[in-house]
Amino acid sequence: MVIEAYRFYEMYRALLADGFLRLNDRAASMRFFLDRFGLQGLRIIEIELNLIYDVFHTKLSLLQRKQAFTRLLCFISVTTSLLLFRTKDTSMYHNVDVIITFVLLEGAIVLDICSVIMYVMSDWWIIISADATQLQHYYCQSLMLLVFKVSRWARRPHRRRWSEYISKYNILKRCFRKPPSIFNFRFFFSIKQIREILIGFLYVEGQKVDEQLMKFVMKELRNKASLAREMELAKEVCSARGNLVLEDDYLLASECLIPWTVAIDYDESLLIWHLATDICFWTDVASTSDHRRFSKALSDYLSYLLLRQQKLVSSVVGMIDTRFDETLCCQTASVQDELPSQKEESKFFQRFCQKMLEVKVDVQPITIAKDSDRSKSVLFDACRLAKQLEMFGERQWEITSKVWVELLCYAAVRCAPRSHIAQLSQGGELITLVWLYMAHLGLGDRFQQQKGFEFTKLIVQK
């Protein structure tokens, strides 16, 4: 898998610099990943992201090929300096200066040795060892293969390639969860920086990614790629925000549900679907559908991205902060009871969501002439969407989960590559895996369509 991941890394390097890719590479990559079912393709993507992390966030790439001779020369120079300094009479210098000099030189040597050990233990040594058969010198070839066999025993057989966690940010919990009494909430929240830290601490939750969820997302992406072999169809898939799955698979549901996708802004659509998913989730607790669980996880994750990771998805943020604040005010005003404790949250959310479903939605809110004066709250629209989804019974969760996959894909392809790369230093995000997997499936607009395009050369300097 490591060799395959490196091959695709070399093939898709231009994508990291926001350049164009060749159609021949697209076709070869599509064939390869469409034939990989389950999580096989995902494992290759994880390894490829690990290689990208090494190139941009570590110095392991400096130990390859020609750069390795430079590092070796530096190591020899530092070692020689240490030996010469040790043999030199240091009585004319202050003891503090001598100690500092020894510490710096020995520290540089230790760091270089650690770098070599890390390199031998990394995926890069597997790649280099695979090329060892092409070396002309038999002894050099044998030495590299010997080191590879020894290091293989020290490698963890099931090492993680990324954090394998997603963060969740739920609007209902943000609105109704009681803060701990130890916080003077108003005082702390009056300072923006402290407020953001506290919100993240109190309302953002981490969850290990469900393997079944990953299989579901990868399956949906492969299904879309198999129907979008032409570039025009691929662009249409990337611009879908839930409408495509409704038109293709749920034609009867599309008439009432499509207005909640492409007819409004992306950020507004996401908030409406998020609240509607929560309302349906808490009023259908008897359901055992896996799609119900998938919908909830993706809903909370995308809410976290747009409300807590706006630098990553800046191109699709829109007016989400304003809509979010006004929606919170509407939700708070609709509840007169005392806020529940965390132990009683589930029952409280069930009562609240049942109350939302009882709202009369046959009459739309009055449209005020001035758009700037109109409320940006999406609570009423979310109630309308929830009642429409409720009409489909158990099938609502299959519809909702597939819509959330399209909303995730829409955000993934609109993130700048540099944002995805920067996120790797923090453990990686699910949206980054989806972005690279979509690119390997030929879903995107960064492919050369006619002659005359110049390729972007990616040069990484340390």
Side-chain angles (χ1 to χ4, degrees):
M1 284 190 178
V2 174
I3 304 303
E4 294 292 347
Y6 179 71
R7 180 167 69 92
F8 287 111
Y9 162 75
E10 290 288 330
M11 189 183 299
Y12 276 74
R13 286 180 65 182
L15 182 67
L16 306 179
D18 206 18
F20 285 90
L21 305 169
R22 294 180 297 182
L23 289 179
N24 291 340
D25 292 339
R26 176 180 183 267
S29 179
M30 283 185 66
R31 286 194 301 269
F32 180 87
F33 282 94
L34 286 177
D35 292 338
R36 265 62 184 175
F37 298 98
L39 297 178
Q40 293 182 7
L42 177 65
R43 300 306 177 212
I44 295 176
I45 295 297
E46 291 176 352
I47 297 172
E48 186 176 350
L49 285 174
N50 202 52
L51 298 178
I52 295 173
Y53 168 81
D54 289 339
V55 170
F56 283 91
H57 298 285
T58 71
K59 296 183 178 181
L60 290 180
S61 61
L62 297 181
L63 294 174
Q64 300 179 65
R65 297 184 179 91
K66 297 180 180 179
Q67 294 92 333
F69 294 103
T70 305
R71 293 298 298 270
L72 179 61
L73 179 61
C74 293
F75 177 77
I76 294 174
S77 300
V78 174
T79 305
T80 304
S81 300
L82 178 62
L83 294 175
L84 292 176
F85 190 72
R86 184 176 291 276
T87 58
K88 185 179 178 60
D89 182 15
T90 58
S91 59
M92 63 185 71
Y93 305 111
H94 295 290
N95 290 335
V96 175
D97 295 335
V98 174
I99 294 174
I100 291 176
T101 303
F102 276 119
V103 169
L104 291 176
L105 291 175
E106 292 173 356
I109 294 174
V110 171
L111 288 176
D112 280 339
I113 294 174
C114 292
S115 298
V116 172
I117 295 175
M118 290 176 61
Y119 184 73
V120 171
M121 300 293 295
S122 70
D123 295 330
W124 292 101
W125 190 257
I126 299 176
I127 297 168
I128 295 297
S129 300
D131 294 336
T133 55
Q134 301 177 5
L135 295 175
Q136 297 179 357
H137 301 287
Y138 172 78
Y139 293 107
C140 184
Q141 180 184 125
S142 302
L143 178 61
M144 292 185 65
L145 293 176
L146 177 62
V147 173
F148 170 70
K149 291 179 180 179
V150 173
S151 63
R152 185 174 57 183
W153 292 103
R155 290 192 184 93
R156 290 177 294 172
H158 303 292
R159 49 186 168 158
R160 294 191 304 174
R161 300 290 180 173
W162 64 298
S163 64
E164 297 181 2
Y165 274 80
I166 57 174
S167 297
K168 302 188 302 180
Y169 185 60
N170 185 262
I171 293 181
L172 289 184
K173 291 182 179 179
R174 169 67 179 87
C175 186
F176 298 122
R177 172 173 288 181
K178 270 185 177 180
S181 57
I182 59 174
F183 293 114
N184 185 349
F185 213 60
R186 291 185 178 179
F187 169 74
F188 281 113
F189 268 43
S190 63
I191 305 175
K192 182 178 179 181
Q193 291 80 0
I194 299 179
R195 180 173 68 247
E196 291 302 314
I197 295 174
L198 289 179
I199 288 176
F201 176 75
L202 295 174
Y203 303 112
V204 176
E205 301 175 357
Q207 178 185 1
K208 186 173 177 60
V209 178
D210 186 357
E211 187 173 298
Q212 296 300 320
L213 172 62
M214 296 301 300
K215 288 182 178 179
F216 168 70
V217 174
M218 299 302 119
K219 180 182 176 182
E220 287 297 306
L221 293 179
R222 285 198 306 273
N223 291 340
K224 294 179 184 301
S226 62
L227 300 174
R229 297 184 181 274
E230 301 295 330
M231 281 302 305
E232 293 301 323
L233 292 176
K235 289 183 179 181
E236 183 179 349
V237 169
C238 292
S239 62
R241 289 161 37 185
N243 55 300
L244 192 61
V245 66
L246 294 174
E247 293 171 351
D248 292 345
D249 301 335
Y250 308 97
L251 189 59
L252 295 178
S254 62
E255 184 176 351
C256 59
L257 297 181
I258 279 185
W260 305 111
T261 57
V262 293
I264 53 181
D265 294 336
Y266 176 83
D267 60 308
E268 182 179 3
S269 174
L270 188 138
L271 280 181
I272 292 173
W273 278 94
H274 174 75
L275 287 173
T277 300
D278 263 7
I279 293 173
C280 294
F281 181 86
W282 290 111
T283 54
D284 189 21
V285 293
S287 174
T288 58
S289 172
D290 287 337
H291 292 280
R292 175 175 176 266
R293 182 163 43 87
F294 299 159
S295 300
K296 177 65 173 174
L298 293 175
S299 171
D300 289 347
Y301 176 62
L302 276 171
S303 173
Y304 164 77
L305 290 179
L306 261 73
L307 291 169
R308 304 295 303 168
Q309 289 287 346
Q310 295 187 353
K311 290 183 179 179
L312 180 61
V313 290
S314 58
S315 62
V316 295
V317 168
M319 298 176 59
I320 194 168
D321 288 333
T322 302
R323 293 189 173 101
F324 173 71
D325 291 339
E326 296 196 17
T327 301
L328 284 185
C329 292
C330 288
Q331 287 186 170
T332 305
S334 63
V335 176
Q336 304 299 328
D337 302 335
E338 184 181 354
L339 295 181
S341 62
Q342 291 192 25
K343 294 182 179 180
E344 300 173 346
E345 274 185 350
S346 298
K347 294 182 179 179
F348 175 83
F349 290 153
Q350 291 177 29
R351 293 196 304 269
F352 174 79
C353 293
Q354 189 61 48
K355 180 180 177 182
M356 290 297 99
L357 281 181
E358 295 172 359
V359 174
K360 295 182 178 180
V361 296
D362 51 342
V363 179
Q364 296 190 17
I366 300 175
T367 302
I368 301 176
K370 295 183 180 180
D371 291 340
S372 59
D373 296 333
R374 195 187 325 176
S375 174
K376 300 297 188 298
S377 173
V378 299
L379 183 59
F380 183 81
D381 290 332
C383 295
R384 295 175 60 200
L385 175 58
K387 290 185 73 70
Q388 291 173 351
L389 289 170
E390 190 185 29
M391 296 187 301
F392 299 99
E394 190 70 14
R395 204 177 184 190
Q396 67 175 305
W397 295 116
E398 186 179 345
I399 297 173
T400 306
S401 61
K402 292 185 178 182
V403 168
W404 276 114
V405 171
E406 285 198 4
L407 290 172
L408 175 62
C409 295
Y410 184 88
V413 297
R414 280 158 183 79
C415 296
R418 62 179 178 271
S419 299
H420 286 297
I421 294 171
Q423 199 65 27
L424 294 178
S425 63
Q426 302 178 25
E429 289 282 357
L430 173 62
I431 192 174
T432 301
L433 270 76
V434 171
W435 162 71
L436 192 57
Y437 192 65
M438 290 178 66
H440 285 310
L441 288 173
L443 300 176
D445 58 355
R446 306 307 298 177
F447 295 94
Q448 179 187 10
Q449 300 184 58
Q450 60 184 2
K451 294 181 179 180
F453 278 94
E454 294 183 358
F455 295 102
T456 303
K457 185 177 182 180
L458 176 64
I459 301 175
V460 181
Q461 296 181 348
K462 295 293 183 181

